[in-house]
Amino acid sequence: MGRPEEAPTAERAERAGPFTTRLTWPLPEGGTAVWESRAARKRGTLAVRGPGEAAARPRGADGVARARLHRLNATAAVSFVLGGLLFALGAALAQLGPHSPTSWAAVYFVGGAFFTAGAYASLLQAINAPRRESTAGALVTPHWNRWSYEPGRIDWLSTFTLFVGTLVFGVDLLDSFLQGLTTRQTDRLVWSPDMVGCLLFLISGHLSFVEVCHGRPCVRRRNLGWWIVAINQLGSALFLISALAAFTRPETGSPISVAIANWATFAGAVCFSLAGVLQLFEHP
């Protein structure tokens, strides 16, 4: 049998730049507790190892916090699944079907509304996640809030960036209904917010990787959170490829590649739906 690790005598923080992603501290009764940002906001748990114990065990927040996180997680996951499926359908209609641009633009718009709902539910999950507010081995449930400003927390900043990205995408999706635009107007009103939204998605995904890997590059094949982040980031990269291919060239008045734009959107949307399905299982 392995010997239990020696308990720390003082609090130890693991940081990624200005962000704290993991805290380890000694408990008054002996043993240690470990708080991790993603585990606290997704599962409502921290890890506790008692005196002389070789392995830590999860300790959950109270029932109010667990039920709250469960509802928000389910809302976000289902919204991302539906949003991804609708974006995939819109891309398929744009590429294969004899449909007018207005018809698939409407499908995209409804899908974008689901993405925004999922992003806001994810932000609410970060805002209302159980907090570590003492040296005791327990989490405290905060009062319910619909909004906060906490840029010093990596989970808040990641989900807030995602939420803003979906709102910017909404501008792109609304402008796509406009008819008779010039090449310049198309690039300014449709393509530019599309690019900004894609970049915000990538930034949010990078912050999520920093959170789950504690600032170091990592591959965690047995970690569900890592897979969710990785698949979402792949979807964001595919959306960026789609946006680049959709740029309307002033000299020709046509996009760089309609096929690449549509198929990259389709593949990226499938990634978001798959990540949403996996997210259904990452709950308290």
Side-chain angles (χ1 to χ4, degrees), residues 25 27 33 46 48 59-61 130-140:
W25 69 94
L27 296 174
L46 50 75
V48 175
R59 179 177 294 178
R131 309 295 177 96
R132 179 260 187 183
E133 295 184 351
S134 72
T135 57
L139 293 170
V140 177

Side-chain angles (χ1 to χ4, degrees), residues 210-232:
V210 170
E211 180 188 28
V212 77
C213 293
H214 307 294
R216 301 175 295 273
C218 72
V219 176
R220 298 186 173 181
R221 295 186 181 91
R222 300 192 179 191
N223 186 297
L224 179 60
W226 185 91
W227 280 106
I228 293 170
V229 172
I231 294 171
N232 273 327

Side-chain angles (χ1 to χ4, degrees), residues 51-73:
E53 293 181 350
R57 61 186 186 279
R59 179 177 294 178
D62 61 31
V64 172
R66 292 198 303 272
R68 178 188 293 172
L69 294 180
H70 203 293
R71 288 193 302 270
L72 290 171
N73 182 74

Side-chain angles (χ1 to χ4, degrees), residues 6-168:
E6 186 175 341
T9 57
E11 181 175 282
R12 183 174 68 248
E14 293 180 55
R15 300 182 183 276
F19 306 111
T20 300
T21 60
R22 180 158 56 195
L23 282 172
T24 304
W25 69 94
L27 296 174
E29 66 273 18
T32 59
V34 180
W35 169 93
E36 292 191 18
S37 175
R38 188 173 182 95
R41 73 181 172 96
K42 288 290 187 178
R43 299 186 181 275
T45 62
L46 50 75
V48 175
R49 181 166 60 88
E53 293 181 350
R57 61 186 186 279
R59 179 177 294 178
D62 61 31
V64 172
R66 292 198 303 272
R68 178 188 293 172
L69 294 180
H70 203 293
R71 288 193 302 270
L72 290 171
N73 182 74
T75 300
V78 171
S79 297
F80 287 132
V81 170
L82 294 177
L85 290 176
L86 286 169
F87 258 68
L89 175 61
L93 292 176
Q95 181 64 28
L96 303 175
H99 303 276
S100 67
T102 304
S103 62
W104 46 261
V107 175
Y108 277 143
F109 184 76
V110 177
F114 277 111
F115 275 137
T116 301
Y120 182 56
S122 299
L123 178 60
L124 285 175
Q125 199 173 31
I127 292 170
N128 295 285
R131 309 295 177 96
R132 179 260 187 183
E133 295 184 351
S134 72
T135 57
L139 293 170
V140 177
T141 304
H143 294 296
W144 171 260
N145 285 302
R146 291 183 174 85
W147 174 249
S148 70
Y149 181 70
E150 302 173 86
R153 290 176 53 200
I154 194 168
D155 54 346
W156 183 94
L157 190 58
S158 174
T159 53
F160 175 74
T161 304
L162 177 65
F163 178 58
V164 174
T166 64
L167 294 178
V168 176

Side-chain angles (χ1 to χ4, degrees), residues 143-222:
H143 294 296
W144 171 260
N145 285 302
R146 291 183 174 85
W147 174 249
S148 70
Y149 181 70
E150 302 173 86
R153 290 176 53 200
I154 194 168
D155 54 346
W156 183 94
L157 190 58
S158 174
T159 53
F160 175 74
T161 304
L162 177 65
F163 178 58
V164 174
T166 64
L167 294 178
V168 176
F169 265 129
V171 175
D172 158 42
L173 297 172
L174 275 175
D175 289 347
S176 65
F177 285 101
L178 299 175
Q179 302 294 316
L181 297 177
T182 66
T183 300
R184 277 183 193 278
Q185 289 171 330
T186 299
D187 286 337
R188 186 176 73 252
L189 298 175
V190 180
W191 182 80
S192 294
D194 190 14
M195 279 295 298
V196 172
C198 290
L199 291 173
L200 289 172
F201 272 32
L202 284 169
I203 292 170
S204 172
H206 174 71
L207 291 171
S208 293
F209 262 124
V210 170
E211 180 188 28
V212 77
C213 293
H214 307 294
R216 301 175 295 273
C218 72
V219 176
R220 298 186 173 181
R221 295 186 181 91
R222 300 192 179 191

